[in-house]
Amino acid sequence: MILGERIRLRRLEREDLPRCAAWLNDPQVRGHLALLYPMSLALEEQWFQQQLAAEPAAQPFAIDARAESVVSDSVDPAWTPVGVCGFHAVDWPHRLAELGLFIGHGDFRGAGYGTDVVRTLVRWAFRTLNLNRVQLRVFEDNAPAIRCYEKCGFRLEGRQRQSRFQDGRYLDTLMMAVLRDEWNG
Ligand SMILES: CC(C)(COP(=O)(O)OP(=O)(O)OC[C@H]1O[C@@H](n2cnc3c(N)ncnc32)[C@H](O)[C@@H]1OP(=O)(O)O)[C@@H](O)C(=O)NCCC(=O)NCCS
């Protein structure tokens, strides 16, 4: 497992899939991802099967969080599964990877867990995988995500104008990245 401050990243298991499909059907999650259509368990299982064939560095992680700061009847005080993260692709010749994540458990959004996950993944990318650059894409209306990435050292590099059509309007996609020699984690 890869340990952060209040999170741990472990391999996603088949047993996680029903929970993941439910999260991906939550408008507060799916609205920020490049997902247009409702998710089914069958589609999620098909995606999971494809991930098993990916190279190890590009396989997804389940995010477990320690819940001490979250007060909710629905939360186990020990490790609680809260989301999924990982690198969509790793480009070894150029030593870069694209990061993605979601905190699906609503009680855990806006409490610093996403920042913990991004810091942990970036540290793993630079210190273990020996990558030089981590990049990501985020829609312009996702202020918490943009703030989270800025806190982790990501800089805005570009903007794909009107690249996303959502709720009857076009949104820009922001391109952000952090380089190893400017990262102070
Ligand atoms: C985006 C996401 C991963 C961030 O994780 P998180 O745990 O919620 O974020 P954190 O609590 O670590 O940090 C959020 C920051 O945004 C700030 N923020 C929240 N709402 C904000 C707003 N409307 N405007 C500006 N900043 C805002 C918070 O105050 C916090 O910053 P701070 O620590 O300086 O106060 C999570 O909210 C999520 O999964 N959302 C749904 C799916 C998604 O958007 N995935 C990313 C797609 S690119």
Side-chain angles (χ1 to χ4, degrees):
M1 295 204 200
I2 303 172
L3 294 178
E5 277 183 32
R6 293 183 301 153
I7 59 94
R8 65 181 184 186
L9 308 182
R10 60 173 171 80
R11 281 291 180 225
L12 198 66
E13 301 288 354
R14 211 172 283 282
E15 295 69 42
D16 291 307
L17 298 183
R19 182 188 302 121
C20 292
W23 286 333
L24 292 172
N25 282 318
D26 176 349
Q28 292 196 49
V29 175
R30 62 177 299 107
H32 298 295
L33 305 176
L35 285 175
L36 286 183
Y37 305 106
M39 182 56 69
S40 67
L41 185 54
L43 281 171
E44 188 68 2
E45 282 171 351
Q46 188 181 55
W47 168 83
F48 180 72
Q49 203 59 37
Q50 290 162 357
Q51 300 308 304
L52 293 178
E55 64 167 297
Q59 290 183 12
F61 292 110
I63 305 165
D64 289 339
R66 275 211 308 268
E68 73 265 358
S69 60
V70 174
V71 180
S72 165
D73 290 343
S74 63
V75 165
D76 182 328
W79 291 106
T80 303
V82 300
V84 176
C85 69
F87 294 117
H88 299 307
V90 180
D91 181 336
W92 292 110
H94 304 295
R95 311 213 72 78
L96 65 88
E98 179 161 342
L99 180 150
L101 84 154
F102 65 84
I103 304 290
H105 196 315
D107 292 347
F108 287 77
R109 282 195 291 273
Y113 290 97
T115 301
D116 199 348
V117 170
V118 174
R119 284 198 178 121
T120 303
L121 272 179
V122 171
R123 183 182 314 114
W124 186 62
F126 289 156
R127 293 208 179 147
T128 302
L129 299 181
N130 192 25
L131 297 179
N132 181 55
R133 171 185 165 90
V134 177
Q135 59 192 34
L136 57 82
R137 285 170 292 171
V138 57
F139 301 128
E140 65 174 333
D141 66 341
N142 196 348
I146 295 165
R147 173 77 189 124
C148 165
Y149 302 144
E150 285 171 346
K151 282 194 293 178
C152 298
F154 283 76
R155 293 193 198 169
L156 179 64
E157 291 188 333
R159 176 181 287 266
Q160 294 171 317
R161 294 172 303 145
Q162 299 192 5
S163 52
R164 164 99 174 158
F165 187 70
Q166 184 168 309
D167 297 330
R169 69 199 164 123
Y170 286 103
L171 294 173
D172 295 352
T173 301
L174 308 187
M175 294 145 75
M176 303 181 76
V178 58
L179 303 181
R180 180 156 64 177
D181 66 7
E182 68 192 16
W183 173 70
N184 57 10

